Amino acid sequence: MEYCLGIESTADDFSVGIASFEGEILANIIDAFISETGGIHPREAAQHHSQVAGKVLAEAFKKAKIKPKEIKVVAFSQGPGLGPCLRTGATVARALASYLGVPLVGVNHCVAHIEIGKLITGAKDPVTLYVSGGNTIVSAFDAGRYRVFGETLDIAVGNCLDVFARTAGLRQREGMPFGAIIEKLAEKGSRFVPLPYSVKGMDLSFSGLLTAAIELLKREEYSLEDIAFSLQETVFAMLTEVTERALAHTEKKEVLLTGGVAANKRLQEMLRRIAEEHNARFCVVPKQYALDNGAMIAWTGVLAYKHGQTVPIERSFVKLRWRLDEVDVPWVKE
Ligand code: AMP
Ligand code: MG
């Protein structure tokens, strides 16, 4: 058997995954950095990554029950992401690849989210809604690449939920990210308070909406539950509208939901409904493969390696703003 080891470190998570060339995931160890204040300070997160790297690598090998010398290729998240975090993961990957004497593959983080989603759910050619702390993208494959049909013009939807929660004085815990806390609160809300609904063409904007929600909070006229409910209804309706339009335009037969925000049941429900209306299958990626994870980098590393996409160490710079639609994906057939 041949294996690829993948390292993910674009933001707050450091993760190592191991995938076989046939698409079996043998390990997927994730260590999340949780800061006191709730935000992600790039340097602090990078420090966390370098502190846990050795431990996470050892755990991954133990879980996969393989030896380091059985690794045929090392892949890492080359971008997009936070500079210090990306560089820490890249350094670990370069050291490992040169020690083992195997090729290095630089993987685009957004492509990886789509590829692991397809592997795990069996989706072949979906319209993908990728929603996380740092990204909000509606995409589908066309002519050699994953094209971006719609995206955020400012902050990511996960970031919008996180900043709202932090401003409301909530505290995230292990296993309970801000988005999940908002989801729980929203379930108890019932009164819908209108917030700015900002879809511009196929793109989305969340920052004005976030400011408006924070203003509502300060006015103390509505309960936190009602504002959380209204915030969720508004942002998820925006995401659903853009995804539906991409689906109607492309006439694809699958909708794939991924990223950390994909865990949200209300968002899942809205997307399932539009998928059904368009006779498309709705696929949601399970949490451990929807969050930032090393398995997705390992699996995409396999696909890229099989198509000759390796990178010499001296040219393996990280790419902070590497867009999804800049990447050729020769392994996807028309
Ligand atoms: P990621 O960037 O993929 O690691 O995902 C992290 C983001 O997912 C953060 O913005 C979280 O607040 C968000 N998130 C996690 N669970 C949920 C949930 N149940 N509902 C909404 N957002 C969530
Ligand atoms: Mg994360």
Side-chain angles (χ1 to χ4, degrees):
M1 279 283 243
E2 293 173 307
Y3 306 104
C4 174
L5 180 142
I7 296 178
E8 158 61 35
S9 73
T10 51
D12 56 338
D13 303 293
F14 183 85
S15 175
V16 174
I18 297 176
S20 78
F21 277 29
E22 281 70 45
E24 192 192 340
I25 305 300
L26 286 87
N28 188 31
I29 311 294
I30 306 173
D31 195 311
F33 168 65
I34 299 173
S35 75
E36 286 293 306
T37 53
I40 307 178
H41 189 295
R43 213 172 45 230
E44 281 177 18
Q47 256 161 22
H48 159 268
H49 298 349
S50 55
Q51 276 160 15
V52 303
K55 185 187 75 169
V56 175
L57 271 172
E59 262 183 67
F61 280 115
K62 194 170 160 208
K63 182 91 205 319
K65 297 194 178 69
I66 63 163
K67 301 225 157 36
K69 64 174 189 300
E70 291 178 80
I71 296 294
K72 180 91 185 269
V73 50
V74 172
F76 72 107
S77 226
Q78 199 173 4
L82 305 171
C85 301
L86 284 169
R87 278 179 216 111
T88 305
T91 304
V92 176
R94 289 179 198 121
L96 197 62
S98 67
Y99 173 73
L100 296 171
V102 300
L104 187 64
V105 172
V107 168
N108 178 288
H109 177 87
C110 306
V111 170
H113 270 292
I114 298 175
E115 292 304 344
I116 194 80
K118 285 163 61 183
L119 177 75
I120 300 291
T121 67
K124 295 274 176 292
D125 182 24
V127 166
T128 302
L129 174 62
Y130 163 35
V131 273
S132 70
N135 291 284
T136 306
I137 299 176
V138 176
S139 89
F141 178 84
D142 185 45
R145 293 186 180 182
Y146 289 115
R147 307 291 165 174
V148 175
F149 280 82
E151 64 192 322
T152 180
L153 297 168
D154 41 51
I155 56 173
V157 61
N159 190 230
C160 173
L161 299 174
D162 294 349
V163 174
F164 175 78
R166 203 162 73 223
T167 312
L170 301 167
R171 291 218 143 220
Q172 66 180 342
R173 305 185 296 279
E174 177 101 51
M176 195 70 176
F178 278 139
I181 300 174
I182 295 290
E183 179 174 16
K184 282 271 162 296
L185 285 170
E187 278 167 17
K188 295 194 211 106
S190 55
R191 187 147 61 130
F192 181 78
V193 192
L195 287 165
Y197 184 98
S198 25
V199 173
K200 304 175 181 186
M202 283 294 275
D203 292 328
L204 307 122
S205 159
F206 298 100
S207 63
L209 169 66
L210 170 62
T211 308
I214 291 172
E215 283 303 315
L216 276 187
L217 201 63
K218 287 191 189 146
R219 272 204 264 152
E220 296 182 345
E221 265 174 58
Y222 305 96
S223 69
L224 180 56
E225 287 80 2
D226 283 342
I227 306 175
F229 167 71
S230 309
L231 179 64
Q232 265 204 182
E233 289 301 300
T234 309
V235 296
F236 294 167
M238 288 162 51
L239 294 167
T240 305
E241 180 193 328
V242 173
T243 309
E244 180 173 23
R245 236 178 302 138
L247 191 61
H249 175 81
T250 59
E251 298 183 340
K252 303 261 184 198
K253 289 289 155 229
E254 294 154 329
V255 175
L256 182 71
L257 174 62
T258 191
V261 185
N264 192 291
K265 292 282 183 293
R266 179 63 181 136
L267 177 60
Q268 292 178 10
E269 185 188 326
M270 287 191 190
L271 284 173
R272 178 172 287 119
R273 195 164 308 164
I274 57 128
E276 278 167 6
E277 276 174 19
H278 291 263
N279 295 318
R281 183 162 79 95
F282 176 61
C283 310
V284 55
V285 182
K287 217 180 198 166
Q288 74 267 35
Y289 299 116
L291 287 168
D292 293 343
N293 67 89
M296 69 181 191
I297 304 301
W299 172 236
T300 311
V302 169
L303 298 171
Y305 173 74
K306 285 181 176 170
H307 285 80
Q309 291 183 352
T310 61
V311 60
I313 287 182
E314 61 279 12
R315 280 198 274 125
S316 62
F317 307 110
V318 298
K319 306 179 196 178
L320 277 59
R321 299 192 181 279
W322 195 15
R323 284 178 61 85
L324 171 66
D325 53 9
E326 289 169 10
V327 187
D328 287 323
V329 289
W331 54 86
V332 184
K333 297 288 164 262
E334 298 286 328

